[in-house]
Amino acid sequence: MNGQTILVTGGAGYIGSHACVELLEAGFNVVVIDNLANSKIESLNRVRQITGQAVTFYQGDIRDKQVLTELFSKHEISTVIHFAGLKAVGESCEQPLNYYHNNVYGTLVLLEAMREANVKQLVFSSSATVYGESDSAQYSEHFPLGPINPYGRSKAMIEDILRDLSAADSITKSASPWKIALLRYFNPIGAHESGLIGEDPNGIPNNLMPYVSQVAIGKLAQLSVFGDDYPTRDGTGIRDYIHVVDLVKGHIKAIAALAGEGFRHGGCKAYNLGAGRGCSVLEIINAFEKVTDRKVPYQIAPRRAGDLAECYANPELALKELQWQAEKTLDDMVADAWRWQSKNPAGYA
Ligand code: NAD
Ligand code: UFG
């Protein structure tokens, strides 16, 4: 496996930069394409600082077929890990065309370039947000899909496209079938233990962990806890937080699985990447205060539209078929998020 070259789309971003570190440390060569729409090139300088190795970087857009064609002709890519896309739920409601163009059309262009280069192994960043309403708070891969916003629908559409692409192989009896892993992330948080790379959101964060970090460091005055009247153990929302380093290790396991017996005849399969247990907003605040020895001032605010009371993964399939499970604790996630935040109060700027 070592010596293979992996194309990482969106590799300068939060999860992508952590994936670059794990891939380089596992002996892969890494080529990144990123248009830096939501990231800074400094993240890749830091990747080099951590690993002592460089990635090959293309500043470009995945919707630019010419750049992709050139890239595939120059490098012998074995697998693509596809992170590039826009990810803010609220923004997707305001700019649906931008989201569908970037995420869905961008993926179509990438898939065409892959097909032309005969590169047919793909690990795709999907999301727990593709799931629909359910009686159970613990989500398994076979649960019905039903996203409720344009961002989530863009992910579900891409999943459909990828399933169709794989299904076509059995009709055409393709000799080199597509091998595709759809990884449905729950809530990635934390940072590399070096504190050199981490999440660097633009403007005021939407997500809980970066918001809490910025309150703790004094950039923001206080956290709003969106609802304390949910039917959960303390009334606040419960999510399955997963350390970003555990998450990216799941991608390396997925690459190995795509090359293995389970995908010998091709296929497209979804896997939950989550810890399999939920934490409430108040539990996150308490863990943060304990680990950092700082207060996180908060107020109870109304529920946020579109939020579920509780959502966590059934991660058994990833354990069984990818031999992957989350290993890091909530305290690890909080300590690493805080190390990144306190060493880089202005992010990569
Ligand atoms: P991120 O914004 O930090 O990284 C995405 C990267 O893609 C950025 O560097 C951005 O500049 C780049 N990009 C966007 N559009 C592009 C385009 N058209 N061409 C080239 N590059 C482009 O986000 P992230 O948190 O690292 O997320 C990575 C992937 O994981 C995304 O697809 C996201 O939807 C998915 N995901 C993230 C989460 C999460 O909570 N962070 C949860 C579930 C799924
Ligand atoms: N929350 C607060 N205050 C805040 C921010 C969040 O109380 O300022 C609460 C939310 O109500 C929720 C929990 O913290 O109960 C987590 O919220 P996040 O915004 O951090 O995460 P979500 O679960 O809402 O969504 C995230 C990503 C989605 C992705 C989903 C599943 O934003 O893109 O995880 O992967 F689809």
Side-chain angles (χ1 to χ4, degrees):
M1 176 175 291
N2 288 4
Q4 279 182 43
T5 302
I6 309 296
L7 172 62
V8 181
T9 75
Y14 169 45
I15 303 173
S17 56
H18 288 81
C20 289
V21 168
E22 289 306 312
L23 287 164
L24 291 168
E25 286 184 343
F28 292 95
N29 302 313
V30 178
V31 176
V32 166
I33 180 165
D34 197 305
N35 65 1
L36 304 181
N38 195 39
S39 53
K40 302 204 174 64
I41 187 70
E42 177 61 14
S43 64
L44 294 177
N45 297 335
R46 303 279 181 95
V47 167
R48 177 161 42 188
Q49 227 176 303
I50 295 169
T51 62
Q53 298 171 69
V55 305
T56 304
F57 177 61
Y58 287 77
Q59 182 168 350
D61 197 295
I62 55 163
R63 293 167 292 184
D64 183 343
K65 180 79 177 295
Q66 222 180 324
V67 177
L68 289 177
T69 302
E70 183 196 323
L71 187 159
F72 280 113
S73 73
K74 280 202 179 142
H75 305 274
E76 203 176 310
I77 306 290
S78 67
T79 305
V80 176
I81 306 185
H82 179 28
F83 293 110
L86 302 177
K87 62 163 184 177
V89 171
E91 190 180 66
S92 79
C93 299
E94 291 160 15
Q95 307 172 10
L97 292 183
N98 193 20
Y99 270 67
Y100 291 126
H101 202 265
N102 240 286
N103 296 2
V104 182
Y105 174 69
T107 302
L108 284 176
V109 176
L110 173 69
L111 292 171
E112 281 167 8
M114 286 177 70
R115 186 182 54 191
E116 284 165 20
N118 202 30
V119 175
K120 291 184 147 180
Q121 289 200 162
L122 177 69
V123 178
F124 172 61
S125 294
S126 189
S127 168
T129 197
V130 297
Y131 288 117
E133 266 184 52
S134 146
D135 294 334
S136 164
Q138 186 177 32
Y139 288 76
S140 296
E141 290 82 353
H142 64 271
F143 280 23
L145 304 187
I148 57 165
N149 53 63
Y151 164 67
R153 278 190 280 274
S154 76
K155 291 288 178 190
M157 285 176 194
I158 296 167
E159 284 202 0
D160 277 338
I161 291 167
L162 294 172
R163 277 185 288 268
D164 287 345
L165 193 57
S166 173
D169 281 331
S170 38
I171 302 167
T172 60
K173 311 248 182 311
S174 169
S176 60
W178 286 89
K179 301 178 179 186
I180 302 169
L182 312 171
L183 303 185
R184 295 182 182 152
Y185 311 159
F186 280 68
N187 291 58
I189 61 169
H192 189 263
E193 62 180 8
S194 62
L196 285 168
I197 55 173
E199 191 172 8
D200 182 20
N202 274 330
I204 295 178
N206 296 307
N207 296 118
L208 180 63
M209 198 58 178
Y211 205 107
V212 169
S213 306
Q214 293 196 12
V215 169
I217 205 149
K219 267 172 95 172
L220 296 168
Q222 66 173 354
L223 173 74
S224 292
V225 174
F226 296 141
D228 67 347
D229 56 354
Y230 284 109
T232 58
R233 49 185 176 262
D234 61 20
T236 66
I238 289 183
R239 294 290 181 277
D240 186 334
Y241 296 94
I242 164 137
H243 196 296
V244 64
V245 171
D246 275 339
L247 183 85
V248 298
K249 285 184 172 158
H251 294 64
I252 302 211
K253 296 286 195 179
I255 293 174
L258 292 181
E261 201 45 37
F263 280 86
R264 191 151 72 93
H265 304 294
C268 176
K269 276 197 92 165
Y271 297 95
N272 285 341
L273 294 188
R277 58 179 152 68
C279 289
S280 75
V281 177
L282 294 182
E283 286 162 359
I284 291 277
I285 295 173
N286 289 338
F288 208 92
E289 291 186 335
K290 185 186 79 182
V291 168
T292 66
D293 207 19
R294 293 208 177 196
K295 284 308 278 179
V296 177
Y298 68 87
Q299 60 168 0
I300 304 299
R303 292 180 180 192
R304 184 171 67 177
D307 273 356
L308 293 169
E310 188 169 8
C311 168
Y312 61 101
N314 177 345
E316 282 168 19
L317 192 65
L319 178 59
K320 186 165 162 245
E321 297 190 3
L322 306 182
Q323 287 77 53
W324 173 88
Q325 64 185 334
E327 281 166 5
K328 292 184 183 273
T329 64
L330 182 60
D331 284 0
D332 295 330
M333 303 183 214
V334 168
D336 290 339
W338 179 241
R339 190 174 306 108
W340 155 253
Q341 178 68 66
S342 46
K343 281 176 81 166
N344 305 271
Y348 290 115

